[in-house]
């Protein structure tokens, strides 16, 4: 636990950086000196922040975390991690509070083949977070230098976002789309996949050929996605 309270001597107002938290957890590890078969942890945490010039409870967290080295040999490793948290927010009197779920997890796989002449690595990660909401606008440029065209479908003479579309012909391409980050942050679900393959032909074929020794092949794939996470509300 920690209690960090700061006040200004002249006004007795509390500094907004004051905070307090308490946490209790139970943890169990199953494994030996070679690898961790399972490390599990369950915890509860209370967080307090400044509200109405005093420390008040802002949220409570119930969490679970599990980590395991599923496979660990000289040539193969497979690790997995999952972390789940349930936030219970405490609003002011009469204020609508929201409860959110957050999940973070990843799987890492490494495989060595042909006397380490070929290595395969795979990594997958999922999680929740917040990111700046992206806004965009269309700007007119020289004819033929843009990507989008504007069609006044409703005839009101006002440009609306759903009236812009990719131009079929270059002479109609008069607009480009410009993105800007706003100060508003929205909840998001994310996942990431990374694949990598490393090949050394000389080692794979166990060859002393000078030509093969000149070559190394690296192939990689990286995919990332982000989706809007709908927030749950309770009164």
């Amino acid at each position: 636990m920690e209690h960090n309270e700061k006040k200004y001597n002249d006004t007795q107002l509390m500094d907004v950086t004051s905070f307090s938290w308490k946490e209790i957890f139970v943890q169990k590890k199953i494994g030996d000196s070679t690898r961790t078969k399972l490390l599990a942890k369950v915890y509860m945490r209370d967080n307090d922040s400044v509200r109405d010039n005093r420390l008040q409870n802002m949220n409570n967290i119930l969490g679970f975390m599990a980590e395991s080295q599923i496979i660990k040999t000289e040539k193969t490793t497979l690790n997995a991690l999952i972390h789940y948290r349930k936030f219970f927010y405490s609003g002011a009197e009469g204020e609508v509070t929201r409860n959110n779920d957050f999940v973070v997890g990843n799987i890492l796989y490494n495989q060595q083949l042909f006397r380490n002449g070929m290595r395969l690595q795979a990594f997958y990660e999922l999680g929740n977070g917040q990111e700046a909401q992206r806004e965009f606008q269309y700007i007119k440029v020289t004819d033929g230098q843009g990507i989008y065209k504007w069609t006044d479908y409703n005839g009101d003479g006002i440009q609306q976002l759903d009236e812009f579309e990719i131009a079929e012909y270059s002479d109609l391409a008069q607009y480009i789309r410009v993105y800007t980050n706003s100060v508003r942050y929205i909840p998001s679900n994310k996942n990431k996949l990374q694949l990598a393959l490393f090949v050394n032909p000389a080692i794979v074929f166990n060859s002393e050929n000078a030509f093969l020794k000149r070559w190394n092949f690296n192939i990689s794939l990286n995919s990332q996605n982000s989706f809007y996470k709908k927030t749950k509300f309770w009164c």
Side-chain angles (χ1 to χ4, degrees):
M1 60 181 296
E2 180 176 353
H3 187 84
N4 193 322
E5 185 174 319
K6 304 176 185 178
K7 285 187 177 181
Y8 295 100
N9 293 330
D10 52 349
T11 62
Q12 289 302 303
L13 293 176
M14 188 170 291
D15 193 305
V16 294
T17 61
S18 301
F19 65 92
S20 176
W21 60 267
K22 302 181 291 292
E23 181 177 312
I24 183 172
F25 68 89
V26 177
Q27 180 173 292
K28 175 64 177 178
K29 179 179 179 180
I30 302 174
D32 50 37
S33 59
T34 59
R35 69 185 178 101
T36 301
K37 297 180 180 179
L38 177 64
L39 175 62
K41 177 181 178 180
V42 178
Y43 63 92
M44 292 182 292
R45 180 184 176 108
D46 294 335
N47 294 308
D48 301 335
S49 294
V50 177
R51 181 192 291 163
D52 298 331
N53 199 38
R54 61 190 178 94
L55 287 176
Q56 298 186 39
N57 180 257
M58 301 299 291
N59 57 63
N60 302 308
I61 304 174
L62 174 63
F64 170 77
M65 182 179 67
E67 181 179 1
S68 176
Q69 294 176 314
I70 302 172
I71 302 174
K72 186 178 181 181
T73 64
E74 185 178 349
K75 296 183 178 181
T76 307
T77 59
L78 178 61
N79 301 330
L81 169 69
I82 185 72
H83 188 179
Y84 169 80
R85 292 181 297 171
K86 178 76 172 182
F87 274 74
F88 301 91
Y89 293 91
S90 301
E93 184 176 356
E95 180 183 340
V96 176
T97 60
R98 62 191 188 280
N99 301 338
N100 283 337
D101 300 301
F102 293 92
V103 178
V104 177
N106 60 66
I107 297 176
L108 176 61
Y109 173 73
N110 284 286
Q111 180 69 58
Q112 298 180 11
L113 301 168
F114 304 107
R115 300 170 300 279
N116 201 25
M118 180 181 294
R119 291 183 292 117
L120 173 65
Q121 184 180 84
F123 177 77
Y124 177 75
E125 182 181 46
L126 59 86
N128 308 123
Q130 290 188 336
E131 60 183 80
Q133 184 178 12
R134 298 183 70 186
E135 297 179 349
F136 60 89
Q137 58 181 330
Y138 292 92
I139 299 178
K140 191 171 185 179
V141 295
T142 305
D143 293 356
Q145 300 299 314
I147 300 176
Y148 302 90
K149 68 175 183 178
W150 171 51
T151 304
D152 191 9
Y153 287 110
N154 56 13
D156 61 359
I158 300 175
Q159 294 181 353
Q160 297 170 336
L161 293 181
D162 58 355
E163 294 180 340
F164 289 90
E165 53 194 351
I166 296 177
E168 300 91 347
Y169 306 102
S170 60
D171 60 326
L172 297 177
Q174 300 175 326
Y175 295 87
I176 60 173
R177 184 162 63 184
V178 179
Y179 287 96
T180 58
N181 287 330
S182 66
V183 296
R184 180 189 177 193
Y185 285 80
I186 58 177
S188 63
N189 292 326
K190 302 179 181 181
N191 60 65
K192 177 169 65 175
L193 174 64
Q194 293 178 327
L195 299 174
L197 178 64
F198 307 91
V199 181
N200 188 320
I203 298 178
V204 170
F205 296 106
N206 194 22
S207 173
E208 295 296 328
N209 185 279
F211 179 76
L212 285 180
K213 287 185 176 181
R214 296 179 182 179
W215 294 91
N216 278 292
F217 297 97
N218 300 330
I219 303 173
S220 62
L221 171 67
N222 185 7
S223 174
Q224 298 186 58
N225 294 289
S226 181
F227 303 93
Y228 175 67
K229 181 179 186 294
K230 294 183 179 180
T231 306
K232 300 177 182 179
F233 289 90
W234 283 273
C235 295

